[in-house]
Amino acid sequence: MGAVRRVLVTGATGNVGRQVTTQLVAAGGVEVRALTRCPETAGLPRGVEVVRGDLSDADGLDAALEGVDAVFLMWPFHGCAPAAPVVAALGRHARRVAFLSSVSVQDGVEPEAQPGPVGQWHRAVEQRIERSGLEWTHLRPSTFAANTLWWADQIRAGDTVRGAYGALSMVLLHEADIAAVAVRALTEDGHAEAVYTLTGPAALTQIEQVRVIGDVLGRPIRWEELSRDAARRQLLADDGFPDSFVDPLLDGYAEMLAAPRPAVTGTVAAVTGAPARTYRDWVADHAADFG
Ligand SMILES: NC(=O)c1ccc[n+]([C@@H]2O[C@H](COP(=O)([O-])OP(=O)(O)OC[C@H]3O[C@@H](n4cnc5c(N)ncnc54)[C@H](OP(=O)(O)O)[C@@H]3O)[C@@H](O)[C@H]2O)c1
Protein backbone atom coordinates (compact mmCIF):
# COMPACT_ATOMS: atom_id res chain seq x y z
CA MET A 1 0.00 0.00 0.00
CA GLY A 2 1.30 3.49 -0.89
CA ALA A 3 2.43 6.00 1.69
CA VAL A 4 -0.08 8.28 3.37
CA ARG A 5 0.57 11.77 2.01
CA ARG A 6 -2.30 13.84 3.40
CA VAL A 7 -4.28 13.41 6.63
CA LEU A 8 -7.56 15.11 7.55
CA VAL A 9 -8.01 15.66 11.28
CA THR A 10 -11.58 16.17 12.50
CA GLY A 11 -12.17 17.66 15.93
CA ALA A 12 -8.87 19.43 15.32
CA THR A 13 -9.58 22.17 17.85
CA GLY A 14 -10.51 19.66 20.57
CA ASN A 15 -8.45 17.96 23.27
CA VAL A 16 -7.29 15.03 21.17
CA GLY A 17 -7.54 16.41 17.63
CA ARG A 18 -5.36 19.42 18.48
CA GLN A 19 -2.67 17.03 19.72
CA VAL A 20 -3.05 14.81 16.65
CA THR A 21 -2.63 17.86 14.43
CA THR A 22 0.40 19.15 16.34
CA GLN A 23 2.10 15.75 16.50
CA LEU A 24 1.54 15.08 12.78
CA VAL A 25 3.13 18.44 11.93
CA ALA A 26 6.05 17.73 14.27
CA ALA A 27 6.58 14.26 12.81
CA GLY A 28 6.65 15.65 9.27
CA GLY A 29 6.31 13.64 6.09
CA VAL A 30 2.56 14.23 5.63
CA GLU A 31 0.40 17.20 4.75
CA VAL A 32 -2.04 17.99 7.54
CA ARG A 33 -5.51 19.35 6.93
CA ALA A 34 -7.70 20.30 9.88
CA LEU A 35 -11.48 20.44 9.89
CA THR A 36 -13.29 23.00 12.01
CA ARG A 37 -16.58 24.85 11.94
CA CYS A 38 -14.70 28.06 12.63
CA PRO A 39 -11.26 28.42 10.95
CA GLU A 40 -11.00 32.04 12.18
CA THR A 41 -10.60 30.97 15.81
CA ALA A 42 -8.94 27.56 15.35
CA GLY A 43 -5.45 28.69 16.41
CA LEU A 44 -3.72 25.70 14.83
CA PRO A 45 0.04 25.45 14.15
CA ARG A 46 1.70 26.95 11.12
CA GLY A 47 1.82 24.49 8.25
CA VAL A 48 -1.68 23.13 8.85
CA GLU A 49 -4.25 23.66 6.12
CA VAL A 50 -7.36 24.69 8.04
CA VAL A 51 -10.68 24.06 6.28
CA ARG A 52 -14.24 24.83 7.26
CA GLY A 53 -16.58 21.87 7.64
CA ASP A 54 -19.31 20.39 9.79
CA LEU A 55 -19.75 16.65 10.36
CA SER A 56 -23.52 17.21 10.53
CA ASP A 57 -23.35 18.33 6.87
CA ALA A 58 -21.74 15.24 5.31
CA ASP A 59 -22.42 16.42 1.74
CA GLY A 60 -20.24 19.41 2.47
CA LEU A 61 -17.29 17.21 3.48
CA ASP A 62 -16.22 16.26 -0.06
CA ALA A 63 -14.12 19.39 -0.52
CA ALA A 64 -12.32 18.82 2.80
CA LEU A 65 -11.66 15.19 1.85
CA GLU A 66 -10.28 15.91 -1.62
CA GLY A 67 -6.83 14.31 -1.95
CA VAL A 68 -6.92 12.88 1.59
CA ASP A 69 -5.49 9.40 2.28
CA ALA A 70 -6.26 9.02 5.98
CA VAL A 71 -8.73 10.56 8.42
CA PHE A 72 -8.69 10.99 12.18
CA LEU A 73 -12.39 10.82 13.01
CA MET A 74 -13.73 12.03 16.33
CA TRP A 75 -17.44 11.89 17.06
CA PRO A 76 -18.80 15.14 18.51
CA PHE A 77 -22.43 14.03 18.68
CA HIS A 78 -24.44 12.56 21.53
CA GLY A 79 -26.02 10.10 19.12
CA CYS A 80 -25.03 8.28 15.94
CA ALA A 81 -27.44 9.81 13.43
CA PRO A 82 -25.01 11.25 10.84
CA ALA A 83 -22.73 8.18 10.86
CA ALA A 84 -23.94 6.73 7.54
CA PRO A 85 -23.35 9.83 5.38
CA VAL A 86 -20.14 10.77 7.20
CA VAL A 87 -18.58 7.32 6.75
CA ALA A 88 -19.80 7.22 3.13
CA ALA A 89 -18.07 10.56 2.49
CA LEU A 90 -14.83 9.22 4.02
CA GLY A 91 -15.11 6.13 1.83
CA ARG A 92 -15.40 8.23 -1.33
CA HIS A 93 -11.95 9.76 -0.76
CA ALA A 94 -9.78 8.20 1.92
CA ARG A 95 -8.53 4.65 2.38
CA ARG A 96 -7.70 4.71 6.08
CA VAL A 97 -9.47 5.95 9.20
CA ALA A 98 -8.48 6.06 12.86
CA PHE A 99 -11.65 6.45 14.91
CA LEU A 100 -11.73 7.98 18.39
CA SER A 101 -14.16 5.63 20.07
CA SER A 102 -14.46 4.86 23.78
CA VAL A 103 -13.54 2.23 26.34
CA SER A 104 -17.27 2.17 27.11
CA VAL A 105 -17.77 -0.04 24.05
CA GLN A 106 -18.13 -3.70 24.98
CA ASP A 107 -16.82 -6.28 22.50
CA GLY A 108 -19.30 -8.58 20.80
CA VAL A 109 -22.31 -6.51 21.84
CA GLU A 110 -24.56 -4.91 19.22
CA PRO A 111 -24.85 -1.11 19.43
CA GLU A 112 -28.38 -1.06 20.77
CA ALA A 113 -27.48 -3.67 23.43
CA GLN A 114 -24.45 -1.72 24.73
CA PRO A 115 -25.01 -0.93 28.41
CA GLY A 116 -24.71 2.86 28.16
CA PRO A 117 -25.37 5.61 25.63
CA VAL A 118 -21.68 6.43 25.04
CA GLY A 119 -20.99 2.79 24.11
CA GLN A 120 -24.10 2.70 21.93
CA TRP A 121 -23.10 5.79 19.89
CA HIS A 122 -19.50 4.75 19.49
CA ARG A 123 -20.19 1.11 18.65
CA ALA A 124 -22.71 2.17 16.00
CA VAL A 125 -20.07 4.35 14.33
CA GLU A 126 -17.40 1.63 14.70
CA GLN A 127 -19.68 -0.89 13.02
CA ARG A 128 -20.46 1.51 10.18
CA ILE A 129 -16.71 2.01 9.63
CA GLU A 130 -15.97 -1.75 9.73
CA ARG A 131 -18.54 -2.30 6.95
CA SER A 132 -17.28 0.59 4.81
CA GLY A 133 -14.29 -1.05 3.12
CA LEU A 134 -11.97 1.54 4.70
CA GLU A 135 -8.82 0.32 6.46
CA TRP A 136 -9.70 1.08 10.07
CA THR A 137 -8.23 1.32 13.54
CA HIS A 138 -10.44 1.92 16.57
CA LEU A 139 -9.00 3.82 19.51
CA ARG A 140 -10.92 3.11 22.70
CA PRO A 141 -9.58 5.50 25.31
CA SER A 142 -10.34 5.41 29.00
CA THR A 143 -11.45 8.57 30.83
CA PHE A 144 -9.63 11.67 29.61
CA ALA A 145 -7.50 13.50 32.16
CA ALA A 146 -8.83 16.61 30.39
CA ASN A 147 -12.23 15.98 32.00
CA THR A 148 -10.77 17.34 35.22
CA LEU A 149 -10.65 20.76 33.53
CA TRP A 150 -14.35 20.78 34.47
CA TRP A 151 -13.04 21.63 37.97
CA ALA A 152 -10.87 24.54 36.79
CA ASP A 153 -13.38 27.28 37.72
CA GLN A 154 -13.77 25.87 41.24
CA ILE A 155 -10.00 25.59 41.67
CA ARG A 156 -9.35 29.10 40.41
CA ALA A 157 -12.02 30.38 42.82
CA GLY A 158 -10.93 28.53 45.96
CA ASP A 159 -9.54 25.41 47.55
CA THR A 160 -12.51 23.03 47.22
CA VAL A 161 -13.76 20.83 44.41
CA ARG A 162 -17.38 19.78 44.84
CA GLY A 163 -18.69 16.74 42.99
CA ALA A 164 -20.36 13.35 43.23
CA TYR A 165 -18.74 9.90 43.51
CA GLY A 166 -15.38 11.01 44.96
CA ALA A 167 -14.42 7.38 45.63
CA LEU A 168 -14.76 6.53 41.95
CA SER A 169 -11.48 5.24 40.44
CA MET A 170 -10.51 6.21 36.92
CA VAL A 171 -7.45 5.42 34.81
CA LEU A 172 -7.00 8.92 33.44
CA LEU A 173 -5.35 9.24 30.07
CA HIS A 174 -3.34 12.16 28.65
CA GLU A 175 -4.69 13.38 25.30
CA ALA A 176 -1.11 13.46 23.99
CA ASP A 177 -0.93 9.67 24.40
CA ILE A 178 -4.19 9.08 22.54
CA ALA A 179 -2.84 11.31 19.78
CA ALA A 180 0.50 9.52 19.68
CA VAL A 181 -1.29 6.22 19.03
CA ALA A 182 -3.53 7.90 16.45
CA VAL A 183 -0.52 9.30 14.59
CA ARG A 184 0.97 5.79 14.35
CA ALA A 185 -2.32 4.32 13.15
CA LEU A 186 -2.75 7.05 10.55
CA THR A 187 0.75 7.09 9.12
CA GLU A 188 2.15 3.56 9.58
CA ASP A 189 1.06 0.24 8.13
CA GLY A 190 0.31 -2.59 10.55
CA HIS A 191 -2.64 -1.14 12.46
CA ALA A 192 -5.47 -2.32 10.20
CA GLU A 193 -8.42 -3.79 12.12
CA ALA A 194 -6.72 -3.14 15.43
CA VAL A 195 -8.87 -2.22 18.41
CA TYR A 196 -6.65 -0.34 20.85
CA THR A 197 -7.90 -0.01 24.41
CA LEU A 198 -5.90 2.91 25.76
CA THR A 199 -5.46 3.83 29.41
CA GLY A 200 -3.17 5.84 31.60
CA PRO A 201 -0.70 4.06 33.89
CA ALA A 202 -2.70 3.91 37.15
CA ALA A 203 -6.15 4.21 38.66
CA LEU A 204 -6.89 7.21 40.89
CA THR A 205 -10.07 8.12 42.72
CA GLN A 206 -11.49 11.57 42.13
CA ILE A 207 -10.43 12.48 45.67
CA GLU A 208 -6.84 11.44 44.81
CA GLN A 209 -6.97 13.40 41.53
CA VAL A 210 -7.83 16.58 43.41
CA ARG A 211 -4.93 15.92 45.78
CA VAL A 212 -2.53 15.59 42.82
CA ILE A 213 -3.74 18.91 41.41
CA GLY A 214 -3.07 20.54 44.78
CA ASP A 215 0.43 18.98 44.96
CA VAL A 216 1.36 20.25 41.51
CA LEU A 217 -0.12 23.72 42.06
CA GLY A 218 1.54 23.89 45.48
CA ARG A 219 -1.57 24.57 47.57
CA PRO A 220 -3.97 22.24 49.37
CA ILE A 221 -7.17 21.48 47.48
CA ARG A 222 -9.84 19.28 49.00
CA TRP A 223 -12.78 17.27 47.72
CA GLU A 224 -16.30 17.94 49.02
CA GLU A 225 -18.79 15.18 48.32
CA LEU A 226 -22.12 16.18 46.79
CA SER A 227 -25.22 14.05 46.37
CA ARG A 228 -25.99 13.03 42.81
CA ASP A 229 -28.88 15.55 42.72
CA ALA A 230 -26.67 18.39 43.90
CA ALA A 231 -23.94 17.46 41.39
CA ARG A 232 -26.59 17.30 38.65
CA ARG A 233 -27.81 20.81 39.52
CA GLN A 234 -24.21 22.10 39.57
CA LEU A 235 -23.46 20.66 36.11
CA LEU A 236 -26.75 21.94 34.64
CA ALA A 237 -25.92 25.43 35.91
CA ASP A 238 -22.47 25.26 34.26
CA ASP A 239 -22.72 27.02 30.87
CA GLY A 240 -19.56 25.25 29.70
CA PHE A 241 -21.02 21.76 30.21
CA PRO A 242 -23.53 20.34 27.70
CA ASP A 243 -26.88 19.73 29.41
CA SER A 244 -27.47 16.65 27.23
CA PHE A 245 -24.41 14.99 28.75
CA VAL A 246 -25.18 15.56 32.43
CA ASP A 247 -27.28 12.43 32.97
CA PRO A 248 -25.16 10.13 30.75
CA LEU A 249 -22.08 11.25 32.71
CA LEU A 250 -23.59 10.75 36.17
CA ASP A 251 -25.21 7.45 35.14
CA GLY A 252 -21.85 6.33 33.76
CA TYR A 253 -20.10 7.28 37.01
CA ALA A 254 -22.68 5.38 39.07
CA GLU A 255 -22.16 2.28 36.90
CA MET A 256 -18.36 2.60 37.08
CA LEU A 257 -18.54 2.84 40.87
CA ALA A 258 -20.44 -0.43 41.02
CA ALA A 259 -18.10 -2.16 38.51
CA PRO A 260 -14.68 -3.71 39.21
CA ARG A 261 -11.75 -1.28 39.45
CA PRO A 262 -10.80 -0.26 35.88
CA ALA A 263 -8.00 -2.19 34.21
CA VAL A 264 -4.73 -0.65 33.08
CA THR A 265 -3.46 -1.59 29.61
CA GLY A 266 0.04 -1.26 28.20
CA THR A 267 -1.23 -0.37 24.74
CA VAL A 268 0.15 3.17 24.61
CA ALA A 269 3.66 1.87 25.28
CA ALA A 270 3.24 -1.12 22.96
CA VAL A 271 2.20 1.08 20.03
CA THR A 272 4.35 4.17 20.60
CA GLY A 273 7.39 2.78 22.46
CA ALA A 274 6.92 5.33 25.28
CA PRO A 275 5.08 4.70 28.55
CA ALA A 276 1.72 6.35 29.09
CA ARG A 277 2.01 9.72 30.85
CA THR A 278 0.86 9.94 34.46
CA TYR A 279 -1.95 12.16 35.74
CA ARG A 280 0.72 14.22 37.51
CA ASP A 281 2.39 14.79 34.10
CA TRP A 282 -0.95 15.90 32.71
CA VAL A 283 -1.61 18.38 35.55
CA ALA A 284 1.90 19.81 35.12
CA ASP A 285 1.22 20.28 31.39
CA HIS A 286 -2.06 22.06 32.21
CA ALA A 287 -1.15 23.94 35.40
CA ALA A 288 -1.88 27.27 33.72
CA ASP A 289 -5.46 26.15 33.02
CA PHE A 290 -6.08 25.90 36.77
CA GLY A 291 -4.74 29.42 37.38
N1 LIG B 1 -13.90 12.71 27.80
C1 LIG B 1 -13.68 11.42 27.98
O1 LIG B 1 -13.39 10.95 29.10
C2 LIG B 1 -13.79 10.48 26.82
C3 LIG B 1 -13.45 9.13 26.99
C4 LIG B 1 -13.55 8.28 25.89
C5 LIG B 1 -14.00 8.78 24.67
N2 LIG B 1 -14.32 10.12 24.56
C6 LIG B 1 -14.80 10.63 23.26
O2 LIG B 1 -13.88 11.60 22.75
C7 LIG B 1 -14.61 12.52 21.96
C8 LIG B 1 -14.29 13.94 22.42
O3 LIG B 1 -12.97 14.24 22.06
P1 LIG B 1 -12.27 15.60 22.51
O4 LIG B 1 -12.33 15.69 24.01
O5 LIG B 1 -10.95 15.67 21.87
O6 LIG B 1 -13.24 16.69 21.92
P2 LIG B 1 -13.54 18.13 22.48
O7 LIG B 1 -12.33 18.70 23.13
O8 LIG B 1 -14.81 18.07 23.24
O9 LIG B 1 -13.75 18.97 21.16
C9 LIG B 1 -14.89 18.86 20.38
C10 LIG B 1 -14.43 18.97 18.93
O10 LIG B 1 -15.54 18.61 18.13
C11 LIG B 1 -15.62 19.51 17.07
N3 LIG B 1 -17.02 19.56 16.65
C12 LIG B 1 -18.10 19.76 17.44
N4 LIG B 1 -19.22 19.68 16.69
C13 LIG B 1 -18.82 19.46 15.42
C14 LIG B 1 -19.50 19.28 14.19
N5 LIG B 1 -20.84 19.35 14.11
N6 LIG B 1 -18.76 19.03 13.08
C15 LIG B 1 -17.40 18.99 13.14
N7 LIG B 1 -16.71 19.13 14.28
C16 LIG B 1 -17.41 19.37 15.40
C17 LIG B 1 -15.11 20.83 17.61
O11 LIG B 1 -14.58 21.53 16.52
P3 LIG B 1 -14.96 23.04 16.08
O12 LIG B 1 -15.71 23.67 17.24
O13 LIG B 1 -13.63 23.67 15.83
O14 LIG B 1 -15.78 22.87 14.86
C18 LIG B 1 -14.01 20.37 18.55
O15 LIG B 1 -12.79 20.28 17.85
C19 LIG B 1 -16.09 12.18 22.10
O16 LIG B 1 -16.50 11.38 21.03
C20 LIG B 1 -16.10 11.40 23.40
O17 LIG B 1 -17.20 10.55 23.51
C21 LIG B 1 -14.21 10.97 25.60
Side-chain angles (χ1 to χ4, degrees):
M1 192 163 283
V4 166
R5 286 182 300 248
R6 184 179 287 126
V7 178
L8 178 71
V9 181
T10 69
T13 61
N15 294 308
V16 184
R18 187 174 291 280
Q19 276 288 332
V20 173
T21 305
T22 307
Q23 291 186 27
L24 281 168
V25 170
V30 292
E31 292 179 33
V32 186
R33 187 179 287 166
L35 188 87
T36 171
R37 292 166 301 169
C38 191
E40 298 78 10
T41 57
L44 289 162
R46 190 185 294 267
V48 176
E49 181 192 1
V50 183
V51 298
R52 189 184 305 278
D54 190 323
L55 289 169
S56 62
D57 171 25
D59 291 341
L61 294 177
D62 284 293
L65 285 160
E66 191 67 46
V68 162
D69 302 299
V71 177
F72 173 75
L73 179 65
M74 68 79 62
W75 200 247
F77 307 112
H78 296 159
C80 55
V86 167
V87 174
L90 264 53
R92 284 196 292 276
H93 298 274
R95 59 184 162 83
R96 179 178 289 177
V97 57
F99 175 54
L100 181 63
S101 181
S102 168
V103 76
S104 303
V105 173
Q106 291 194 358
D107 276 326
V109 178
E110 287 299 309
E112 56 282 5
Q114 292 283 334
V118 176
Q120 288 167 11
W121 309 328
H122 284 100
R123 181 60 198 142
V125 182
E126 283 186 2
Q127 209 171 57
R128 186 69 67 176
I129 290 170
E130 289 164 18
R131 294 170 180 171
S132 68
L134 285 154
E135 183 189 308
W136 56 265
T137 307
H138 298 330
L139 312 178
R140 291 185 183 164
S142 64
T143 309
F144 293 2
N147 292 359
T148 61
L149 289 172
W150 297 333
W151 299 331
D153 285 347
Q154 297 190 62
I155 290 170
R156 274 194 294 269
D159 62 0
T160 305
V161 170
R162 296 172 188 83
Y165 308 115
L168 174 63
S169 274
M170 304 172 183
V171 196
L172 295 180
L173 180 59
H174 197 309
E175 60 276 1
D177 285 328
I178 309 171
V181 174
V183 166
R184 299 289 183 133
L186 290 162
T187 60
E188 295 177 350
D189 289 339
H191 303 282
E193 301 193 10
V195 177
Y196 290 135
T197 299
L198 308 175
T199 75
L204 289 176
T205 66
Q206 295 199 88
I207 295 167
E208 290 166 337
Q209 294 163 29
V210 164
R211 211 172 288 142
V212 171
I213 297 173
D215 282 355
V216 174
L217 298 186
R219 61 187 173 93
I221 301 175
R222 67 184 190 91
W223 176 266
E224 185 181 307
E225 186 71 21
L226 295 182
S227 67
R228 184 202 155 104
D229 280 352
R232 187 172 185 276
R233 282 195 299 277
Q234 179 174 271
L235 287 168
L236 286 171
D238 182 343
D239 293 338
F241 197 92
D243 287 357
S244 63
F245 197 57
V246 170
D247 285 321
L249 179 83
L250 292 172
D251 291 345
Y253 280 6
E255 279 164 27
M256 284 158 71
L257 195 60
R261 207 174 159 85
V264 170
T265 72
T267 313
V268 168
V271 174
T272 68
R277 294 159 171 90
T278 65
Y279 182 59
R280 190 173 292 271
D281 294 335
W282 181 90
V283 178
D285 289 344
H286 290 269
D289 296 323
F290 293 104

